[in-house]
Amino acid sequence: MPNKRTAFFISDGTGITAEALGRSLLAQFEAIQFEMITKPYVNTEEKALQLVALINQTCVDEQQRPLLIDTIVDQKIRRIINTSQALNIDVFSTFLAPLEEELQTHSTYSVGKNHALTKEKEDTYKARIDSVHFALDNDDGARTHHYDKADLILVGVSRCGKTPTCIYMALQFGIKAANYPITEDDLLDSELPKALRPYRHKLFGLTIEPERLASIRHERRPNSHYASLKVCQREVQEVESLYQRHNIDYIDSTHYSIEEISTRILAQAGIERRFRPSI
């Protein structure tokens, strides 16, 4: 089996759906390295012909068929695309045909339907912006007087992934997430930092393997006390003890992506998403 393949994600719209679904499917094949190429707005016959030429040349160069995952709606463009020397997975026909049969009605087959602006999407956009502003304004313990408005307060040692996780939850799910760094000084006290005590019910912790933490900190402050493995080991051990002492749920962020960390936190904390990410 070849260990490298080229995959094209194409659409006559944004390509977001084709790429999101395609990446999810290809992620199941860990032994294969994929070169992923996204081609949005293939909305003219000329563009379609140029793309077919690129796909066919890729087939010749690599001596194997590229993969092609598409959400093409326009049937003239689809017929052109279907002439390419690729394994073609047509997302819409794959899923819409059985749905049409079950629902006893025809799809509108509209380009960009999922991304059209509606009142609901305007409200979602505003919630997304408000949540991102909240995450940025309440990042790294800079402000604590808005914690009463937070859905979640993420705590952990410096550089364990709190900030990107909070921003991702805000952007994708509309969650108002603050984060507070647990410092060496905080760890000298067996109690929670004073700013966090009234909001114990909103706290969720992150931890990380000390070796990984030291590597991340070293990139920021090379050869510093802050980045030493000994300091990282002590901080991780003490912050986990703090979590256990105060019955704070936490997860290890070492081997998870930001997407996985965020989803696990919301599931474990029982927090409902305000909206779901569009694909």
Side-chain angles (χ1 to χ4, degrees):
M1 177 184 293
N3 59 10
K4 185 175 182 180
R5 298 292 290 267
T6 297
F8 289 88
F9 308 134
I10 70 170
S11 174
D12 41 11
T14 64
I16 294 173
T17 302
E19 182 174 2
L21 180 59
R23 286 181 178 275
S24 295
L25 291 172
L26 298 184
Q28 306 306 311
F29 301 90
E30 296 181 358
I32 301 176
Q33 178 184 351
F34 292 100
E35 180 181 355
M36 303 182 189
I37 301 172
T38 302
K39 295 288 186 180
Y41 300 113
V42 182
N43 50 15
T44 67
E45 293 181 35
E46 181 182 3
K47 290 180 181 178
L49 289 168
Q50 291 173 349
L51 181 59
V52 168
L54 173 62
I55 292 170
N56 290 347
Q57 187 59 52
T58 301
C59 183
V60 171
D61 293 343
E62 299 181 356
Q63 293 295 297
Q64 58 188 347
R65 289 195 298 175
L67 309 178
L68 173 58
I69 298 173
D70 79 81
T71 53
I72 297 290
V73 171
D74 186 291
Q75 292 306 303
K76 290 182 180 178
I77 295 175
R78 165 153 301 292
R79 282 193 289 272
I80 295 172
I81 295 299
N82 286 343
T83 66
S84 70
Q85 298 175 36
L87 171 65
N88 191 351
I89 299 173
D90 172 6
V91 173
F92 282 160
S93 67
T94 300
F95 296 107
L96 286 180
L99 281 172
E100 287 176 334
E101 183 177 351
E102 177 66 26
L103 299 174
Q104 295 294 295
T105 186
H106 289 292
S107 162
T108 56
Y109 282 83
S110 300
V111 178
K113 190 72 172 178
N114 191 44
H115 306 290
L117 190 61
T118 62
K119 176 63 168 62
E120 181 182 358
K121 289 191 176 182
E122 286 182 352
D123 293 342
T124 295
Y125 177 79
K126 184 179 184 304
R128 177 178 281 118
I129 295 302
D130 288 346
S131 298
V132 170
H133 283 166
F134 184 89
L136 293 173
D137 287 344
N138 294 274
D139 179 44
D140 215 24
R143 298 182 184 179
T144 59
H145 56 280
H146 290 150
Y147 281 2
D148 59 316
K149 298 180 177 65
D151 298 310
L152 176 80
I153 303 170
L154 202 57
V155 296
V157 299
S158 173
R159 311 304 290 178
C160 68
K162 299 183 301 301
T163 295
T165 300
C166 286
I167 293 175
Y168 182 85
M169 287 193 289
L171 188 61
Q172 294 296 325
F173 306 129
I175 301 300
K176 290 186 175 179
N179 80 77
Y180 187 98
I182 303 295
T183 66
E184 284 190 274
D185 289 342
D186 291 326
L187 294 171
L188 294 174
D189 191 345
S190 62
E191 293 300 316
L192 287 171
K194 186 176 180 181
L196 299 179
R197 292 173 195 171
Y199 307 104
R200 161 68 192 80
H201 60 293
K202 296 184 178 185
L203 302 183
F204 198 97
L206 285 184
T207 188
I208 187 172
E209 291 178 0
E211 294 78 10
R212 175 61 179 154
L213 180 61
S215 174
I216 293 170
R217 288 182 173 184
H218 182 76
E219 291 177 5
R220 188 174 187 183
R221 298 183 195 171
N223 304 315
S224 64
H225 169 81
Y226 168 78
S228 75
L229 180 58
K230 185 176 180 180
V231 167
C232 292
Q233 288 172 330
R234 185 178 70 248
E235 286 189 23
V236 168
Q237 182 180 13
E238 291 180 358
V239 81
E240 289 182 2
S241 295
L242 183 73
Y243 297 155
Q244 293 161 7
R245 199 158 52 244
H246 294 281
N247 198 29
I248 297 170
D249 284 342
Y250 67 96
I251 62 172
D252 188 331
S253 66
T254 308
H255 301 294
Y256 294 124
S257 66
I258 295 301
E259 295 87 346
E260 290 174 302
I261 294 168
S262 302
T263 304
R264 286 172 179 271
I265 288 173
L266 296 186
Q268 199 165 322
I271 298 175
E272 291 293 326
R273 308 174 184 192
R274 286 201 169 81
F275 50 78
R276 297 187 179 273
S278 14
I279 61 171

